[in-house]
C-alpha cells in the first residue's frame, strides 16, 4: 500500500467514531448503541454460536438471529466449525457496513469486547449486556464473508416488568410464529399450570427455542393474544 493511500485511510478511520466506543467516543469500554461489555458471573444465559461454510459457498451463523430483553447479559460461546477464518462482531448495521468497507481496503484485525476473530476449529467468548432497545446486527466483516451470508439480526426488546415462569418447550412452529409450552402457573395472568400455545414478540425468539428445552419466560396479552415478551 502506498504512503498516500495509507495516510488517507488512517485519517478516515480517525475521523469516524470508534466502532467499539460509545456514541460520545469515550473509549473502548464505553457503552455503544448495541450495549456494553458484561461480566460472565452475571450472565443471564449462555448461547452457543457456530460459524461455518457450506459446499455451495454460503457462510453461516447458527443461530441466524437473536432476540433479547433490554438489560439482559448474554455469554456467547462462539465456535468456528468451518475451514476459513471467521469473526463475530456485534454492532449497529450502519457501523458494520462502514467497518466492512474499511476492511475491504486494508487488512485489519480488531481486539474489542464486541468482537472475536477465530481460526478454523477455535472457540472464543463474548459477554455482552444489551442495555438499549432496538434492532442491531452480528456479522463477519472479513472481505466477502458478509456478502456470502454471514450476518443476522439482534432484536432487543423493551422487556417486561412481568414475572418469569418456568416451562418446557413442547413444539416450535416457525411458519405460524408460535410455540407450545408446558408451563407452571402464570401468576400475572392468573392462569394455572397447563400446556398452551403462545405467539412471540419477535420471530428471532423462535430460533432460541428447541423442543424439550427448559426455559423461563414472561407472557403477556398483546393485542388480545398470549405472547412471549421475554426469555432467559
Amino acid at each position: 500500500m502506498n504512503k498516500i493511500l495509507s495516510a488517507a485511510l488512517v485519517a478516515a478511520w480517525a475521523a469516524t467514531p470508534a466502532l467499539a466506543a460509545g456514541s460520545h467516543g469515550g473509549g473502548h469500554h464505553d457503552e455503544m448503541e448495541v450495549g456494553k461489555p458484561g461480566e460472565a458471573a452475571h450472565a443471564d444465559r449462555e448461547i452457543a454460536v457456530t460459524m461455518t461454510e457450506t459446499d455451495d459457498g454460503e457462510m453461516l451463523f447458527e443461530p441466524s438471529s437473536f432476540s433479547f430483553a433490554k438489560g439482559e447479559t448474554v455469554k456467547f460461546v462462539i465456535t468456528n466449525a468451518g475451514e476459513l477464518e471467521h469473526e463475530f462482531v456485534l454492532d449497529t448495521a450502519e457501523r458494520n457496513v462502514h467497518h466492512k468497507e474499511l476492511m475491504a481496503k486494508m487488512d485489519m484485525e480488531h481486539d474489542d469486547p464486541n468482537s472475536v476473530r477465530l481460526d478454523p476449529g477455535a472457540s472464543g467468548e463474548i459477554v455482552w449486556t444489551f442495555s438499549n432497545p432496538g434492532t442491531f446486527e452480528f456479522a463477519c466483516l472479513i472481505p466477502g464473508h458478509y456478502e456470502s451470508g454471514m450476518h443476522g439480526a439482534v432484536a432487543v426488546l423493551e422487556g417486561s416488568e412481568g414475572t418469569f415462569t418456568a416451562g418446557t418447550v413442547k413444539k416450535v412452529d416457525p411458519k405460524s410464529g408460535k410455540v407450545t409450552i408446558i408451563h407452571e402457573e402464570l401468576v400475572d395472568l392468573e392462569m394455572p399450570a397447563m400446556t398452551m400455545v403462545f405467539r412471540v414478540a419477535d420471530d428471532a425468539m423462535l430460533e432460541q427455542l428447541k423442543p424439550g428445552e427448559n426455559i423461563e419466560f414472561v407472557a403477556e396479552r398483546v393485542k388480545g393474544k398470549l405472547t412471549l415478551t421475554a426469555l432467559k
Side-chain angles (χ1 to χ4, degrees):
M1 182 182 295
N2 64 53
K3 293 182 179 180
I4 295 176
L5 177 58
S6 177
L9 288 172
V10 170
W13 179 259
T16 304
L19 293 175
S23 59
H24 299 290
H28 281 209
H29 295 286
D30 288 353
E31 185 170 344
M32 303 165 61
E33 286 184 64
V34 69
K36 59 187 178 181
E39 296 181 20
H42 298 152
D44 296 297
R45 57 174 151 159
E46 180 177 305
I47 294 179
V49 180
T50 301
M51 305 186 291
T52 190
E53 315 96 32
T54 66
D55 292 338
D56 58 3
E58 267 194 293
M59 298 185 184
L60 305 173
F61 286 107
E62 177 60 40
S64 60
S65 62
F66 299 109
S67 178
F68 304 116
K70 176 185 174 182
E72 193 169 359
T73 297
V74 180
K75 179 182 178 181
F76 294 96
V77 179
I78 305 155
T79 301
N80 184 352
E83 298 180 358
L84 301 173
E85 185 180 38
H86 292 298
E87 65 179 8
F88 180 95
V89 180
L90 285 168
D91 214 325
T92 64
E94 294 78 13
R95 286 184 179 273
N96 276 343
V97 167
H98 176 74
H99 194 171
K100 179 168 66 73
E101 291 171 350
L102 286 175
M103 289 185 68
K105 297 175 182 178
M106 58 181 169
D107 184 21
M108 301 188 312
E109 182 171 351
H110 34 284
D111 181 17
D112 295 308
N114 64 314
S115 66
V116 62
R117 181 180 287 205
L118 298 170
D119 291 326
S123 296
E125 296 179 357
I126 291 176
V127 182
W128 200 256
T129 298
F130 293 92
S131 48
N132 301 309
T135 300
F136 306 100
E137 187 179 62
F138 61 102
C140 179
L141 305 179
I142 295 173
H145 293 207
Y146 188 100
E147 292 77 8
S148 297
M150 291 201 79
H151 56 91
V154 180
V156 182
L157 308 177
E158 273 289 357
S160 172
E161 297 301 323
T163 303
F164 277 91
T165 300
T168 301
V169 178
K170 181 178 180 181
K171 179 182 177 182
V172 180
D173 187 351
K175 290 185 178 179
S176 66
K178 297 177 181 178
V179 57
T180 304
I181 302 175
I182 305 167
H183 62 81
E184 296 180 356
E185 179 185 3
L186 297 173
V187 177
D188 298 342
L189 299 175
E190 298 182 346
M191 290 185 175
M194 63 176 81
T195 301
M196 297 179 64
V197 177
F198 299 85
R199 296 177 184 272
V200 292
D202 188 278
D203 287 343
M205 286 182 169
L206 295 171
E207 294 202 30
Q208 299 171 237
L209 297 168
K210 308 295 181 185
E213 181 181 24
N214 295 322
I215 62 170
E216 291 184 52
F217 66 98
V218 174
E220 302 177 58
R221 284 192 176 89
V222 178
K223 296 181 181 180
K225 305 292 185 180
L226 288 175
T227 304
L228 265 66
T229 57
L231 285 169
K232 70 176 181 179

